[in-house]
Amino acid sequence: EEYGLFGSYELMEQIGRYLDKRAVVYLNVDSSVNGNTTFTARGSPHLRKVVEDSAKIVANPNPEQQAYETLYDNWIDTNCDADRNRADPEAEKVGWFPPLGSGSDFRPFLQLGGIASIDFRYKDYNTGYPLYHSMYETHFAVANIVDQGFLCHKSMTQIWIETGRHFADDLILPFDLRNYGQQIKQDQNNIQLQKIQKYEKDYDLNMKHLKNLTDTLVLAFDNFQDKVDKVKENRFDKDYFQHRKINDVLMNVERMF
């Protein structure tokens, strides 16, 4: 990973032609535990639901947080998605799941290969992680200060495995395009609020066109997801060719961007 994501870039360049046709998802773990306060994840928006479902069955590891039974309980309370919850105050509270940028090995897989990706972490947003890349970042410090008993590491392993199990076992790949649509809609709204006057005045751009295109894409995502959900309801349907067609579409959504 260090320096410059050299290894992952070389790997992507070497076997990218195979991954382009076969890779379904990339599950990234880098600095998996640099705090013991909250679980957090970021990734391709249509991976939110599978992470939420996995977090709901993994026990919260911090014995001092008796109020939280699962990682999901911890996530939505200590690290909620303020923007989404503010947009719909009556909706159920959800955890913060921002899109990926750079800074770890997922970058070439996501941004060169278009492979949907997730980055899992356990953090402490109050103290940060002052040991990072220092001579004090030792096994003793982690075992005795950061994560006594390696309970957070255990939970991180469990959610990584459970998320991967869904992709291995589920008949239909566990992507949810509604969440992708919601993220795009949220980003478009933020652009409108922050930049609409500048773009329309300085560059003479019609920002309503962007909104119309966004609405069309979101509607297409919602309609396709409705069809996917109907197929999932009929669990005894053995039309594997139809399942394959659906999975091919879901697998390639991130590649469209």
Side-chain angles (χ1 to χ4, degrees):
E1 200 257 14
E2 307 289 357
Y3 297 93
L5 311 178
F6 200 82
S8 50
Y9 263 95
E10 285 292 323
L11 180 65
M12 187 65 207
E13 291 173 357
Q14 181 178 355
I15 65 173
R17 61 188 182 278
Y18 303 113
L19 297 179
D20 180 57
K21 303 298 182 184
R22 302 178 186 179
V24 176
V25 67
Y26 178 75
L27 308 181
N28 190 70
V29 178
D30 175 15
S31 297
S32 61
V33 176
N34 47 34
N36 54 29
T37 300
T38 182
F39 166 76
T40 187
R42 51 184 178 150
S44 302
H46 54 334
L47 290 169
R48 170 189 279 276
K49 188 175 186 303
V50 68
V51 177
E52 290 176 339
D53 290 344
S54 300
K56 289 176 181 178
I57 67 169
V58 177
N60 185 60
N62 192 330
E64 297 181 2
Q65 296 175 325
Q66 296 295 324
Y68 308 133
E69 182 178 352
T70 67
L71 280 186
Y72 184 76
D73 298 331
N74 173 303
W75 185 17
I76 64 173
D77 192 55
T78 62
N79 191 25
C80 71
D81 189 334
D83 288 339
R84 182 175 288 199
N85 294 329
R86 187 163 44 247
D88 188 0
E90 297 183 0
E92 182 180 352
K93 190 160 64 170
V94 296
W96 190 51
F97 189 77
L100 290 166
S102 183
S104 190
D105 282 316
F106 57 76
R107 187 174 191 268
F109 297 100
L110 174 66
Q111 298 181 4
L112 296 184
I115 301 166
S117 304
I118 311 172
D119 181 47
F120 300 100
R121 298 188 183 232
Y122 217 93
K123 306 186 77 168
D124 188 327
Y125 283 102
N126 296 318
T127 65
Y129 187 55
L131 304 182
Y132 186 61
H133 281 193
S134 75
M135 62 182 293
Y136 302 104
E137 190 177 30
T138 63
H139 182 276
F140 178 87
V142 174
N144 292 275
I145 301 173
V146 179
D147 186 20
Q148 296 182 19
F150 290 94
L151 300 178
C152 294
H153 281 83
K154 176 184 175 182
S155 292
M156 291 296 294
T157 303
Q158 289 172 325
I159 193 168
W160 187 90
I161 291 174
E162 177 61 16
T163 303
R165 185 198 64 77
H166 276 289
F167 279 95
D169 292 350
D170 290 5
L171 193 61
I172 302 296
L173 294 174
F175 294 108
D176 192 314
L177 298 187
R178 289 192 193 89
N179 283 315
Y180 215 127
Q182 284 185 282
Q183 184 64 55
I184 290 176
K185 186 74 172 177
Q186 182 176 310
D187 291 342
Q188 181 262 323
N189 287 336
N190 289 337
I191 290 175
Q192 295 280 61
L193 290 172
Q194 298 170 14
K195 302 291 185 178
I196 184 169
Q197 291 183 346
K198 178 178 177 62
Y199 288 164
E200 289 186 340
K201 180 179 178 180
D202 295 351
Y203 305 118
D204 196 26
L205 294 175
N206 183 358
M207 298 300 288
K208 292 181 179 179
H209 187 53
L210 174 62
K211 182 181 184 304
N212 293 335
L213 290 174
T214 301
D215 291 342
T216 300
L217 180 60
V218 170
L219 181 61
F221 279 162
D222 289 347
N223 289 339
F224 187 81
Q225 191 63 48
D226 288 340
K227 295 178 181 179
V228 173
D229 291 345
K230 289 180 180 178
V231 172
K232 287 182 178 181
E233 289 174 2
N234 190 3
R235 294 188 297 172
F236 300 103
D237 181 10
K238 301 299 182 181
D239 189 352
Y240 296 122
F241 183 66
Q242 182 188 28
H243 300 158
R244 175 60 188 268
K245 288 193 295 183
I246 291 173
N247 285 335
D248 283 346
V249 172
L250 292 172
M251 187 182 83
N252 285 293
V253 166
E254 190 66 72
R255 290 169 171 82
M256 295 192 308
F257 299 96

